[in-house]
């Protein structure tokens, strides 16, 4: 495949953080992602970055749910704060790698928990200015509760609406794995995905949700992949790495 021209990259929270340890960043992986994104951008490709919640957002939501069973609108405050802590570190590392990231918290551009309610105008503006817009999974207060916006859904929606040619999900595993732990080169239906993340906590649906979002976007975006974080640049350069996702 050709090298990507306009890419939306979702950096999985489980790859950027250690999910078993509260608010702990995997600095090695974050820097590895940043240097690959910087090399891609240096070659002229345009980029939007979306990141997940890992041991920041997910852990915070699970802790609240454990203590009182449900989220009320005020809980968005603490979840947003946790996600902002992670986002600021992501932006700093991207900047140190030579990118010009601009941060757009979903709670400022989305009205509700559905990605359809998010306004992408400022993301498009920054992209046109040659910057690298960054957004992430977040919590949005709503009547009677707090909705959780998944970074996977957001990444897929941005890729479709901005007519990106590539949507790459970078995760800790080398791709979508089959029941024997081998990377599946192609996923064309959710029914193929039998192995679901069972360890830890994930309030937005783990690998299944990722594949669902990827399948949906693949109807509009030519190159959709789920790859190991170390293969991110290769994927952006058009390499046949990880798992290609294409609904047929
Ligand atoms: O990790 C979820 O984002 P994701 C963010 O992309 C929160 O599903 C707040 C749990």
């Amino acid at each position: 495949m050709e090298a990507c021209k306009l890419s939306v990259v979702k950096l999985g929270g489980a790859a950027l953080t250690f999910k078993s340890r509260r608010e702990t960043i995997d600095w090695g992986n974050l820097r590895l992602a940043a240097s690959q994104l910087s090399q891609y951008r240096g070659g002229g490709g345009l980029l939007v970055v979306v990141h997940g919640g890992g041991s920041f957002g997910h852990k915070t939501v699970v802790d609240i749910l454990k203590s009182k069973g449900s989220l009320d609108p005020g809980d968005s405050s603490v979840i947003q704060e946790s996600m902002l802590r992670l986002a600021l570190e992501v932006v700093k590392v991207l900047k140190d790698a030579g990118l010009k990231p601009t941060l757009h918290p979903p709670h400022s551009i989305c009205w509700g928990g559905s990605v359809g309610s998010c306004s992408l105008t400022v993301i498009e503006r920054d992209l046109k200015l040659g910057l690298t817009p960054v957004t992430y999974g977040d919590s949005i207060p709503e009547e009677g509760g707090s909705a959780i916006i998944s970074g996977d859904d957001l990444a897929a929606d941005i890729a479709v609406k901005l007519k990106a040619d590539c949507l790459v999900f970078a995760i800790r595993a080398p791709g979508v794995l089959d029941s024997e732990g081998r990377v599946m080169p192609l996923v064309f239906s959710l029914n193929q995905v039998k192995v679901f993340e069972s360890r830890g906590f994930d309030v937005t649906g783990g690998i299944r949700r990722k594949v669902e979002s990827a399948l949906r976007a693949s109807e509009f975006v030519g190159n959709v992949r789920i790859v190991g974080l170390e293969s991110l640049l290769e994927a952006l350069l058009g390499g046949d790495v990880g798992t290609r996702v294409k609904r047929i």
Side-chain angles (χ1 to χ4, degrees):
M1 286 196 133
E2 275 182 32
C4 303
K5 294 183 184 71
L6 168 53
S7 305
V8 177
V9 170
K10 163 75 196 300
L11 299 174
L16 294 188
T17 70
F18 295 107
K19 278 193 100 174
S20 56
R21 282 183 257 155
R22 171 193 294 282
E23 300 204 354
T24 308
I25 293 174
D26 183 338
W27 295 104
N29 265 2
L30 177 52
R31 289 193 191 106
L32 180 60
S35 79
Q36 294 178 85
L37 292 175
S38 176
Q39 285 180 67
Y40 162 71
R41 188 68 193 95
L46 297 174
L47 176 66
V48 177
V49 176
V50 182
H51 69 79
S55 63
F56 286 72
H58 290 278
K59 187 103 182 85
T60 308
V61 173
V62 167
D63 287 352
I64 298 170
L65 289 176
K66 268 192 199 147
S67 80
K68 59 189 186 80
S70 64
L71 302 175
D72 60 46
D75 291 321
S76 278
S77 165
V78 62
I79 304 164
Q80 289 178 4
E81 192 192 352
S82 173
M83 284 309 299
L84 270 169
R85 270 197 291 276
L86 175 58
L88 286 174
E89 298 296 353
V90 171
V91 161
K92 184 174 186 315
V93 173
L94 293 178
K95 190 164 65 59
D96 290 348
L99 292 164
K100 297 206 173 349
T102 53
L103 186 58
H104 299 291
H107 61 257
S108 298
I109 58 171
C110 307
W111 176 257
S114 127
V115 289
S117 76
C118 304
S119 163
L120 305 184
T121 343
V122 285
I123 290 180
E124 282 186 272
R125 178 201 61 202
D126 291 0
L127 208 48
K128 283 197 190 118
L129 291 170
L131 309 171
T132 298
V134 178
T135 188
Y136 53 85
D138 202 4
S139 172
I140 318 284
E142 59 183 10
E143 195 66 41
S146 273
I148 305 297
I149 263 192
S150 137
D152 292 338
D153 284 354
L154 199 52
D157 196 61
I158 293 173
V160 171
K161 289 194 176 137
L162 267 50
K163 299 191 169 49
D165 53 338
C166 294
L167 169 62
V168 181
F169 296 85
I171 62 173
R172 200 173 271 279
V176 181
L177 306 180
D178 66 16
S179 47
E180 258 112 69
R182 293 171 305 211
V183 175
M184 299 168 74
L186 175 68
V187 168
F188 51 84
S189 148
L190 198 56
N191 298 332
Q192 288 172 276
V193 183
K194 301 248 156 44
V195 183
F196 304 135
E197 280 163 350
S198 52
R199 277 180 301 128
F201 43 83
D202 195 306
V203 292
T204 49
I207 194 75
R208 188 182 169 84
R209 176 68 163 266
K210 209 175 290 296
V211 171
E212 256 181 322
S213 304
L215 279 167
R216 214 172 322 114
S218 75
E219 294 181 41
F220 306 93
V221 181
N223 186 0
V224 180
R225 286 185 183 274
I226 299 178
V227 307
L229 189 99
E230 62 292 337
S231 305
L232 181 52
L233 180 60
E234 209 179 329
L236 293 170
L237 296 179
D240 190 13
V241 282
T243 301
R244 177 154 191 224
V245 181
K246 178 84 199 141
R247 176 134 44 212
I248 50 173

